[in-house]
Amino acid sequence: MNNFTTNCYEMKREIANFSKKMSKNLSKPTKKFVMDLQYGISKGGSCLVSDIARALNDNIKLKNVIERICDNLANLGDEEKETIEENYLNEVKKYIDKDNTIAIFDDSDINKEYSKKLEDLDRVIDASSLSKKVVNGYHVCEAVLLTKNQQQPISVYSKIYSCKSNDFISKNEYTFASIKRVESVVGSRFTGLFDRGYDDNKIIDYMSKDGRKMVIRLNDRRTLLFKGKKKSIEEIAGTRKGKIVYKALFDDNEEVELTISYTRATLPYNNKEYNIVIIYGLSDEKPMKLITNITFKDKKDIIKIVRLYLSRWRIEEHFRGKKQEYDFGNMRVRTLKSMNNLNMMLSIHLGHIAMLADHINRKLLSIKIIYASESLKNTAIVWLSQMAKGIKAMLKFAHTGIQEWRSKTKSKKENYDYEQLALDL
């Protein structure tokens, strides 16, 4: 495990081989750019272009490397971006259980409180602050799938956007784009998990068709028809007692005893009946209220719904890893196009980590990465942070960049077999 040179070599080879898959059918300069970004983000552990440039160890001035990366981010064509995304999604399909796909949808934000010159700066609620203050920044719409072995979140859609952009229509436009992206990978038969910000009639209608399944956390303002009368979901929750007991185990090995109730209610706008699940014990203030079109047979099925929705927390870990391990909110490129292209490269890198983590007990390189991270915990539900630290630790012994792994164009002489030396007798 302590053979640092070998481990560094294996990590470089893994990144280079993965980058070549991502850049299939692209021009040579774009292939070089993809490999540079994947290696630079891996070693630098940052979204700052200057940190990525330093990690490359190119034998040219740092300023020129930074300019090259910024130019590539700004000038990456739409067709090239689509090709990269298609290559990535084709690789993602190998790690997804198509018969039991779980897709998680959520929003996040990028805090740019002190920025003034960035393109279409919006006003967002800083979710990381206790006071929930409103600051300059951008919205982020994200969709992840859970891998089939280790249930790791693997991003398939991530979009940074501003409500002040000229082409902005609505937030639902990005939500439906994220759902369509999931369908392009696994088809329409999947289970979608949504937080209360997605408690919207249009989303409920869409997710109720063509074999889609949904579990959506209801907003406290939601009104339902219950036993022939209009009642708020809070009133309905207040009439239930929570007779089903379930002990939930969280990542810090904390066991929380939850009580669960269930009933049926009708949405007034479409007059359709849905199952309602109410969970007590997660918060001292209010119970969690869920609406789903998944059918129940017994209390085991209801506990499965609760466990299913609690797995939505994995996307929160995905966001946390993005921000803490890669300083996602601190990216310093000025245009939204450059931000989204950098975000795409980061998402591909995080997807690579999820693929490695999905074989955490079966792939030697994955075991080496966890060992190199020197984590205090031997196990984790989401391995993103440990894997990110381990990869960075392995690559810190690299004295050169990724240059030697870039494919070289063969000369005409190299296209022929070497002629064997012959002696005339």
Side-chain angles (χ1 to χ4, degrees):
M1 290 292 186
N2 292 325
N3 194 336
F4 303 123
T5 304
T6 302
N7 293 345
C8 182
Y9 175 86
E10 289 181 6
M11 196 67 247
K12 276 189 176 184
R13 181 178 61 191
E14 175 68 27
I15 294 169
N17 291 339
F18 181 76
S19 298
K20 288 174 183 177
K21 292 178 183 178
M22 297 301 102
S23 57
K24 186 179 178 182
N25 299 324
L26 291 173
S27 64
K28 186 177 178 180
T30 307
K31 287 181 179 180
K32 178 178 179 292
F33 168 64
V34 172
M35 189 175 292
D36 282 352
L37 265 288
Q38 290 305 300
Y39 180 78
I41 292 172
S42 300
K43 185 181 179 184
S46 173
C47 280
L48 286 174
V49 174
S50 57
D51 289 342
I52 295 171
R54 287 186 179 93
L56 292 177
N57 288 335
D58 276 350
N59 295 322
I60 57 176
K61 289 184 179 179
L62 179 64
K63 180 181 177 182
N64 294 340
V65 180
I66 292 172
E67 288 178 353
R68 185 185 77 209
I69 294 173
C70 290
D71 287 344
N72 281 314
L73 288 171
N75 298 322
L76 186 67
D78 292 339
E79 290 185 5
E80 291 176 312
K81 185 176 180 180
E82 288 175 8
T83 301
I84 295 170
E85 290 176 340
E86 184 180 351
N87 291 335
Y88 170 67
L89 294 177
N90 286 335
E91 197 67 20
V92 167
K93 290 176 183 178
K94 301 175 184 177
Y95 293 84
I96 303 301
D97 182 3
K98 290 189 177 181
D99 296 326
N100 188 28
T101 305
I102 299 172
I104 309 174
F105 304 85
D106 204 1
D107 285 334
S108 184
D109 61 85
I110 296 179
N111 183 337
K112 292 292 183 183
E113 183 175 0
Y114 303 106
S115 298
K116 296 180 180 180
K117 300 292 185 180
L118 297 178
E119 181 184 11
D120 295 333
L121 267 176
D122 205 348
R123 300 290 286 171
V124 299
I125 298 173
D126 184 9
S128 61
S129 68
L130 295 176
S131 61
K132 305 297 181 185
K133 61 182 179 180
V134 179
V135 297
N136 288 339
Y138 297 98
H139 304 278
V140 182
C141 180
E142 191 103 15
V144 303
L145 302 177
L146 298 186
T147 59
K148 57 187 173 184
N149 294 322
Q150 294 292 324
Q151 301 289 288
Q152 298 299 295
I154 185 166
S155 179
V156 293
Y157 182 89
S158 185
K159 179 73 174 181
I160 302 169
Y161 67 93
S162 167
C163 298
K164 294 185 177 180
S165 297
N166 292 331
D167 58 351
F168 175 78
I169 299 174
S170 69
K171 290 185 178 181
N172 270 353
E173 178 192 12
Y174 299 105
T175 300
F176 283 109
S178 65
I179 296 174
K180 294 289 187 183
R181 176 64 61 82
V182 169
E183 291 176 350
S184 72
V185 178
V186 297
S188 63
R189 295 186 178 274
F190 66 92
T191 302
L193 309 180
F194 300 84
D195 199 13
R196 55 189 159 189
Y198 293 86
D199 180 9
D200 185 282
N201 293 340
K202 292 178 182 178
I203 295 173
I204 292 174
D205 272 346
Y206 187 83
M207 291 300 299
S208 299
K209 300 173 183 176
D210 300 328
R212 302 179 189 90
K213 297 177 182 178
M214 65 171 186
V215 184
I216 301 177
R217 184 177 178 182
L218 289 174
N219 194 298
D220 290 338
R221 297 189 298 273
R222 171 63 73 171
T223 299
L224 302 166
L225 286 174
F226 183 68
K227 296 182 179 180
K229 296 182 179 179
K230 276 191 175 184
K231 290 187 176 182
S232 70
I233 186 61
E234 285 194 287
E235 289 180 285
I236 296 172
T239 63
R240 316 306 292 178
K241 296 182 179 180
K243 294 182 179 180
I244 300 173
V245 179
Y246 169 61
K247 292 182 179 180
L249 186 66
F250 292 90
D251 190 30
D252 53 2
N253 290 323
E254 178 187 3
E255 193 175 66
V256 178
E257 186 173 280
L258 307 176
T259 55
I260 308 164
S261 288
Y262 68 97
T263 186
R264 291 182 67 81
T266 302
L267 289 176
Y269 82 95
N270 64 3
N271 205 32
K272 291 183 179 179
E273 198 173 41
Y274 294 88
N275 290 315
I276 306 296
V277 179
I278 304 163
I279 307 168
Y280 306 85
L282 285 172
S283 170
D284 295 332
E285 300 176 0
K286 296 179 181 179
M288 179 183 288
K289 287 83 69 175
L290 308 176
I291 186 170
T292 179
N293 59 351
I294 301 174
T295 56
F296 301 151
K297 290 183 180 179
D298 51 35
K299 72 176 186 179
K300 290 183 180 179
D301 291 336
I302 298 166
I303 291 174
K304 284 181 181 178
I305 296 296
V306 174
R307 290 180 61 189
L308 182 66
Y309 187 77
L310 291 179
S311 68
R312 199 202 68 81
W313 164 82
R314 293 169 191 256
I315 197 172
E316 303 292 347
E317 285 295 299
H318 176 80
F319 283 133
R320 185 166 71 90
K322 240 180 161 180
K323 292 181 177 181
Q324 291 186 358
E325 302 300 336
Y326 296 94
D327 208 5
F328 177 61
N330 198 27
M331 59 170 65
R332 297 177 188 176
V333 286
R334 289 196 172 188
T335 66
L336 274 171
K337 179 180 179 180
S338 294
M339 285 184 195
N340 274 301
N341 288 336
L342 183 54
N343 182 37
M344 177 186 68
M345 291 298 174
L346 175 61
S347 296
I348 289 172
H349 167 68
L350 297 180
H352 189 196
I353 285 181
M355 294 172 194
L356 290 170
D358 200 45
H359 296 300
I360 199 75
N361 298 320
R362 294 182 293 168
K363 190 169 183 175
L364 182 58
L365 179 60
S366 299
I367 296 171
K368 288 182 177 181
I369 292 170
I370 294 300
Y371 183 83
S373 71
E374 298 182 344
S375 301
L376 295 176
K377 295 181 180 179
N378 294 325
T379 60
I381 295 176
V382 177
W383 289 99
L384 193 158
S385 292
Q386 287 92 328
M387 296 287 283
K389 290 174 182 174
I391 291 170
K392 190 175 179 181
M394 290 171 75
L395 292 175
K396 74 178 180 180
F397 296 99
H399 298 295
T400 59
I402 200 74
Q403 299 94 328
E404 68 269 23
W405 290 94
R406 295 171 187 154
S407 57
K408 297 180 180 179
T409 304
K410 291 184 178 181
S411 65
K412 291 182 179 180
K413 290 184 179 180
E414 290 176 317
N415 290 330
Y416 297 96
D417 295 331
Y418 288 105
E419 294 182 3
Q420 189 173 8
L421 181 64
L423 297 175
D424 293 331
L425 299 176

